[in-house]
Amino acid sequence: MYIFSFEKLDVWVESKEFTKAIYLATENFPENEKFGLISQLRRASISICSNIAEGSARKTFKDKANFTTIAFGSAVEVLNQLILSYELNFLSEKNYILLRKQLESITNKLNSLRNYQIDKSI
């Protein structure tokens, strides 16, 4: 089976695993958040790994960097939603800290990837 380039990126692997962790964490949210924070968190976390994958298929480094920037924006969106979820007591402090640390690792890697792509586009 062919392995695509994005599948070899640590940041994609981490963001995919992070998305699965978000799905598990939101299972315990109140039912009335099904179309609120649950949906928003899941879609935004999926957007991180999806934009990394889509960007990898682009021809130019400038285009690749654009998708990495979108992935970074989605990661910051998730952070905002995690903060709200924690403050609303939908997440335990332990789970909030764990998810936030995972997200910090992802954003650091996205930032490095974007800088590399921008440097290559010049």
Side-chain angles (χ1 to χ4, degrees):
M1 177 175 6
Y2 180 77
I3 305 295
F4 286 86
S5 62
F6 72 88
E7 295 177 278
K8 300 172 190 172
L9 292 172
D10 288 343
V11 68
W12 178 80
V13 173
E14 277 188 44
S15 61
K16 177 183 60 77
E17 293 304 314
F18 178 76
T19 298
K20 294 190 305 190
I22 289 293
Y23 267 75
L24 291 173
T26 56
E27 283 181 356
N28 298 320
F29 279 33
E31 181 65 28
N32 64 340
E33 285 299 325
K34 185 176 184 178
F35 301 108
L37 278 171
I38 295 171
S39 176
Q40 285 292 113
L41 271 164
R42 289 178 176 185
R43 287 185 296 120
S45 66
I46 290 168
S47 179
I48 300 168
C49 53
S50 295
N51 277 291
I52 294 166
E54 186 173 353
S56 74
R58 298 302 167 149
K59 295 285 183 196
T60 68
F61 279 103
K62 184 178 180 183
D63 282 345
K64 292 175 188 294
N66 183 51
F67 279 89
T68 304
T69 299
I70 294 167
F72 190 92
S74 294
V76 174
E77 180 182 351
V78 170
L79 175 58
N80 174 67
Q81 294 160 1
L82 286 175
I83 292 167
L84 287 169
S85 298
Y86 174 65
E87 291 180 358
L88 291 167
N89 296 313
F90 298 160
L91 284 174
S92 68
E93 183 175 11
K94 181 181 178 182
N95 207 9
Y96 168 70
I97 290 169
L98 175 67
L99 291 168
R100 189 166 176 140
K101 284 181 180 179
Q102 289 175 311
L103 193 56
E104 184 177 346
S105 176
I106 291 165
T107 55
N108 287 340
K109 286 179 174 70
L110 285 171
N111 195 41
S112 294
L113 178 60
R114 181 175 51 193
N115 288 339
Y116 170 80
Q117 292 164 333
I118 289 170
D119 287 347
K120 292 295 256 184
S121 70
I122 297 173

